[in-house]
Amino acid sequence: MNTAPADGGPVVTSTSTGAQHPSGVDGGVGTTALLVAAARAIETHRPDSLAQDVFAEHFVRAAPASAGWPTRLQQVRDGNANPLWGRFARYFGLRTRVLDDFLIRSVHAAGSRQVVLLGAGLDTRAFRLDWPAGTAVFEIDRTQVLAFKQQVLDGLAATAKAARTPVPVDLRADWAAALADSGFDRSAPTVWLAEGLLFYLPADAEAALVAEVDRLSAPGSALAYEVKLEPDLMACRDSPLYTATAQQIGIDLLDLFVKEPRPDSAGALTGRDWSVSVHTPFEFTHRHGRGPLPEENDALAGNRWVFAHKPGPTAPPPPVTRTVPAP
């Protein structure tokens, strides 16, 4: 996530590993990367798992902010009934699976092997997905976040399954230049992902980011991102997801979200001749046979997953590659 200065901040020592790492994930929006990592760890150990991320629990244990959080549902007293580690964690597991599928299918469809993760956080797709030969994955995020991730992965002797290039730059800075300097080929189709990022950006920053992605995208490129469409975020301020997250791990998501009206990024892409589809997460719950369903006072009701394709020599990939039957 990219709402803090690109460099600086104190160095802290992990109570679980004794290793030094920057504090990029130990406060503010950065801590939400640990929340998602914990959710992915829980999903990994479910008997009906939708996505596997064997690295996720190591990030959780390595950061002082999350060292005591659960990484398995069995460690949660009320299990699936817990709004945070049950329903919300399952949402992140479903999101991970859907976006995993989108990325792999899009890389094959685009005839390109270039992927850019915007606000990559603790994403480990370069290590855990079966990429086609020759795939290059660029991970853009703040220096501290990428340094912490690299230190944990080095400690695990993790081996990437693609040519992985970290790009340490704040998305408020000239990230396009930093990406180009890292070997990005603007003439080749690119698969872009902004997972769990746009909630935290001002409206003008979101609009600028989408415009820049369009500018850098050759025909045949694809993009997936997540937005919230509620006209009033505070209308769901008492949602169990928000209250449980604040009470159990001290993250006030509503305090972190930008509450101004959101731009119509899907409409902007359509106006630039992209083909765009917008989906609720609940659609994928039905397709995969598990995941969150709508409920009263639902903090997920306004969430949308957007999939876009820039016309080129290939057909746009559908957002789902396969459906897993319910166990």
Side-chain angles (χ1 to χ4, degrees):
M1 312 303 175
N2 295 275
T3 60
D7 293 294
V11 172
V12 297
T13 300
S14 168
T15 56
S16 60
T17 66
Q20 286 190 330
H21 63 77
S23 58
V25 295
D26 275 335
V29 173
T31 314
T32 64
L34 295 170
L35 166 60
V36 176
R40 285 178 174 159
I42 289 173
E43 185 67 33
T44 297
H45 295 289
R46 284 179 179 269
D48 61 346
S49 173
L50 285 166
Q52 293 285 307
D53 185 349
V54 299
F55 308 101
E57 65 184 285
H58 297 280
F59 298 128
V60 177
R61 294 287 166 258
S66 58
W69 295 0
T71 55
R72 289 164 174 75
L73 196 60
Q74 295 88 333
Q75 298 168 345
V76 181
R77 179 184 300 177
D78 44 355
N80 278 319
N82 187 290
L84 170 57
W85 301 121
R87 186 169 187 261
F88 208 12
R90 181 107 255 201
Y91 169 80
F92 290 123
L94 177 67
R95 186 181 76 179
T96 298
R97 169 59 182 274
V98 170
L99 296 179
D100 284 356
D101 286 350
F102 174 83
L103 289 171
I104 292 297
R105 188 175 184 91
S106 296
V107 165
H108 282 287
S112 171
R113 299 294 182 260
Q114 189 166 249
V115 178
V116 178
L117 307 178
L118 297 161
L122 302 179
D123 188 307
T124 60
R125 289 183 170 96
F127 294 84
R128 61 182 183 78
L129 296 186
D130 292 325
W131 299 101
T135 300
V137 177
F138 298 89
E139 299 182 3
I140 300 178
D141 213 316
R142 290 179 291 126
T143 301
Q144 304 102 310
V145 175
L146 293 176
F148 168 68
K149 176 161 69 173
Q150 190 64 55
Q151 187 170 44
V152 173
L153 292 170
D154 286 347
L156 299 171
T159 301
K161 297 181 178 181
R164 172 180 174 254
T165 303
V167 184
V169 62
D170 194 303
L171 284 172
R172 298 172 304 174
D174 190 355
W175 60 267
L179 184 60
D181 290 343
S182 299
F184 175 80
D185 181 3
R186 182 178 169 183
S187 67
T190 303
V191 182
W192 303 84
L193 176 62
E195 180 182 17
L197 169 67
L198 301 185
F199 304 159
Y200 309 103
L201 297 182
D204 59 349
E206 176 182 331
L209 184 143
V210 169
E212 190 73 340
V213 167
D214 173 60
R215 185 181 72 84
L216 296 173
S217 293
S221 295
L223 164 67
Y225 62 93
E226 182 182 26
V227 291
K228 292 185 78 69
L229 298 184
E230 291 107 330
D232 180 10
L233 279 172
M234 298 308 290
C236 292
R237 62 186 177 278
D238 296 325
S239 167
L241 293 190
Y242 290 149
T243 57
T245 302
Q247 292 169 0
Q248 295 182 41
I249 59 176
I251 297 177
D252 185 344
L253 290 171
L254 283 172
D255 188 51
L256 297 175
F257 292 159
V258 174
K259 301 176 186 64
E260 63 187 357
R262 306 309 305 173
D264 181 8
S265 294
L269 287 167
T270 300
R272 295 181 171 100
D273 296 325
W274 292 64
S275 62
V276 181
S277 63
V278 182
H279 303 264
T280 70
F282 309 125
E283 294 176 54
F284 295 97
T285 293
H286 290 297
R287 294 184 190 187
H288 288 282
R290 46 201 181 273
L293 291 169
E295 61 180 30
E296 293 295 322
N297 191 25
D298 194 351
L300 300 179
N303 288 35
R304 297 293 185 272
W305 297 344
V306 183
F307 305 91
H309 182 271
K310 193 167 189 176
T314 58
V320 177
T321 60
R322 63 190 187 281
T323 298
V324 177

